[in-house]
Amino acid sequence: MKINVAAPSYGTQKAFEIDDEKKLVHLHDLRISQDFDAGILGEQFKGYRFKIQGGSDKQGFPMRQGILTNSRVRLLLKRGTVGYQRHRGKKGERRRKSVRGAIVAHDIGLLNCIIVAEGPTPLEGVTDHSVPRKLGPKRANKIRKLFNLTKEDDVRNFVIRHKLPTKNGKTKTRAPKIQRLLTPITEERKRRKMAMLKKRWAKAREEREAYSHLRRRRRQLQYQRKRARILLRMAGLRKFELIELRKEKQKEERLEKIRIKKEEKEKAAAAAAKAKSKQKSGSKKEEPKKAAKPEPKKGAKPEPKKAEQAEKKSDKEPKKAAKPEAPTVEKKAEEKKPEAKKAPKAEPKAAKAKEQPKPKPKKK
């Protein structure tokens, strides 16, 4: 098994080949992110402590954190993660890939470790020398953090420069461009940008207020137009109602005039009829009516002899001057009909009974 040992503080790393199975047995059942005493691997690692960062099996499948097994499994992975390289897939694509579990076993071919604690003797090729960083940090805050600077210090004086060889044999240095560096120009740009934003916000606010005012005004005008239409319609209806009421009133007045005229005519006719009846009663006397002969009963035999004899006697007798008949009750009632309004006084029943003629007894 190969053990790749790295020292971040020195900037170095080295791979050590260990074939003794008795030493490697102590690593079995360890997981990723666990640390162990490196003295079990040999005398040269005595006093050091290593931390497992990852590894791969003998077929090259990488170990993946979180898979608590010492065998290989197939998982659905998204690109850019352990076991599925970013350039091999499309955006949002997932694939099923084989990955090794996070537990160390006999099938592991490579184990990646970092030095957590150093021993008394330096490791050859790892802790016996240091390799400076070729490229330093670019961000301003990271440079301040590296050199423990304050905000008042100028970060540009602490940029790490690296040397480049040239064709003439001269050396040339190059420094990275500092990111997020605050200079007077950048601050001025920031202020100008903020002023432009405020101006734009103020303009937008004014336009929004003007538009809202315009909308309110349009809504008011619309409401006023609608109200005016309703009022005009109501005024037209009211006018129509007034015209109808006037017509009804005129009709009632006309009918009242006609009724009054009719009553006057009726009164005049009644008065004329009364006067006429008075004149007639004073000048002429009405003849009395002949007594009606009683009708013979059904089944009764007629008496022609007596009737004929009576007619003959009447023919033989000389005609006398007809005396004026007394006014009967029926004629009096006919004369009093036009005077409907002036109700006559109620006569006693006894008087009425005397005036009516008694019916003659029927002959058997």
Side-chain angles (χ1 to χ4, degrees), residues 4 30 56 100 145 186 193 200 291 296 298 303 336:
N4 193 11
L30 292 177
S56 59
R100 177 63 171 72
K145 187 179 178 181
T186 55
K193 187 178 179 181
R200 200 181 301 163
K298 290 181 179 180
E303 297 178 0
K336 289 177 182 180

Side-chain angles (χ1 to χ4, degrees), residues 278-293:
K278 282 181 181 180
Q279 286 176 5
K280 281 182 180 180
S281 63
S283 60
K284 294 180 181 180
K285 290 182 180 179
E286 295 178 357
E287 295 179 359
K289 286 185 178 180
K290 291 179 181 181
K293 289 180 181 180

Side-chain angles (χ1 to χ4, degrees), residues 64-250:
R64 188 179 173 94
Q65 177 70 290
I67 302 169
L68 302 178
T69 181
N70 57 0
S71 61
R72 198 182 304 162
V73 293
R74 283 177 63 81
L75 298 176
L76 198 64
L77 305 175
K78 62 180 181 180
R79 63 178 194 154
T81 57
V82 176
Y84 186 16
Q85 294 177 345
R86 188 176 184 82
H87 66 277
R88 293 190 181 278
K90 297 178 182 178
K91 187 178 180 181
E93 183 185 2
R94 293 196 301 167
R95 287 187 188 177
R96 196 168 292 281
K97 293 283 188 178
S98 293
V99 289
R100 177 63 171 72
I103 298 173
V104 180
H106 64 279
D107 60 338
I108 295 296
L110 176 66
L111 203 64
N112 298 323
C113 302
I114 60 170
I115 297 171
V116 179
E118 293 185 22
T121 58
L123 277 176
E124 187 182 352
V126 181
T127 58
D128 57 349
H129 70 287
S130 62
V131 177
R133 292 179 62 179
K134 184 181 178 183
L135 300 175
K138 290 180 71 175
R139 194 179 296 176
N141 286 337
K142 289 189 177 181
I143 295 169
R144 290 192 188 97
K145 187 179 178 181
L146 180 65
F147 293 101
N148 197 16
L149 303 175
T150 60
K151 288 186 178 181
E152 286 76 18
D153 296 328
D154 193 357
V155 182
R156 291 173 288 182
N157 298 330
F158 295 90
V159 179
I160 297 171
R161 307 178 70 90
H162 63 278
K163 295 179 181 180
L164 293 173
T166 57
K167 293 180 181 179
N168 301 331
K170 294 180 181 180
T171 56
K172 185 179 178 182
T173 58
R174 182 179 291 176
K177 184 181 178 182
I178 302 169
Q179 303 295 323
R180 302 182 187 179
L181 180 65
L182 290 175
T183 60
I185 294 171
T186 55
E187 289 178 354
E188 178 61 29
R189 286 175 187 164
K190 192 175 179 181
R191 284 194 295 270
R192 187 169 69 248
K193 187 178 179 181
M194 201 65 201
M196 287 174 68
L197 283 172
K198 285 181 180 178
K199 190 177 179 181
R200 200 181 301 163
W201 293 339
K203 187 181 177 183
R205 195 184 303 111
E206 289 175 1
E207 289 176 354
R208 188 164 55 250
E209 288 175 358
Y211 181 65
S212 62
H213 176 71
L214 181 65
R215 283 188 66 187
R216 282 197 301 273
R217 182 61 183 160
R218 285 178 179 173
R219 203 178 295 117
Q220 288 174 359
L221 291 172
Q222 187 179 3
Y223 174 76
Q224 288 173 4
R225 283 195 293 270
K226 189 176 179 181
R227 184 70 181 164
R229 283 197 298 270
I230 293 166
L231 290 172
L232 283 170
R233 199 180 298 120
M234 288 174 68
L237 291 170
R238 183 65 180 161
K239 190 177 180 182
F240 180 74
E241 288 175 0
L242 289 170
I243 291 166
E244 290 293 321
L245 288 170
R246 201 178 295 120
K247 284 181 180 178
E248 287 178 4
K249 194 173 181 181
Q250 288 174 1

Side-chain angles (χ1 to χ4, degrees), residues 220-345:
Q220 288 174 359
L221 291 172
Q222 187 179 3
Y223 174 76
Q224 288 173 4
R225 283 195 293 270
K226 189 176 179 181
R227 184 70 181 164
R229 283 197 298 270
I230 293 166
L231 290 172
L232 283 170
R233 199 180 298 120
M234 288 174 68
L237 291 170
R238 183 65 180 161
K239 190 177 180 182
F240 180 74
E241 288 175 0
L242 289 170
I243 291 166
E244 290 293 321
L245 288 170
R246 201 178 295 120
K247 284 181 180 178
E248 287 178 4
K249 194 173 181 181
Q250 288 174 1
K251 191 177 179 181
E252 286 176 0
E253 289 175 356
R254 199 160 49 247
L255 290 171
E256 185 68 21
K257 286 179 181 178
I258 291 165
R259 189 178 63 76
I260 291 165
K261 283 180 181 178
K262 195 174 181 181
E263 286 179 357
E264 287 175 357
K265 282 181 182 179
E266 286 176 356
K267 284 180 182 179
K274 195 174 180 182
K276 196 174 182 181
S277 65
K278 282 181 181 180
Q279 286 176 5
K280 281 182 180 180
S281 63
S283 60
K284 294 180 181 180
K285 290 182 180 179
E286 295 178 357
E287 295 179 359
K289 286 185 178 180
K290 291 179 181 181
K293 289 180 181 180
E295 293 180 358
K297 289 183 179 180
K298 290 181 179 180
K301 291 180 180 180
E303 297 178 0
K305 290 181 181 181
K306 290 182 179 182
E308 287 174 3
Q309 287 175 6
E311 286 176 5
K312 284 177 183 181
K313 283 180 182 181
S314 62
D315 292 335
K316 285 178 183 182
E317 288 177 2
K319 291 181 181 180
K320 295 178 181 181
K323 291 182 180 180
E325 295 179 355
T328 61
V329 177
E330 293 175 358
K331 286 187 177 182
K332 285 181 180 179
E334 285 178 3
E335 288 176 2
K336 289 177 182 180
K337 270 184 183 178
E339 297 177 4
K341 289 187 178 179
K342 294 179 181 179
K345 290 181 181 180

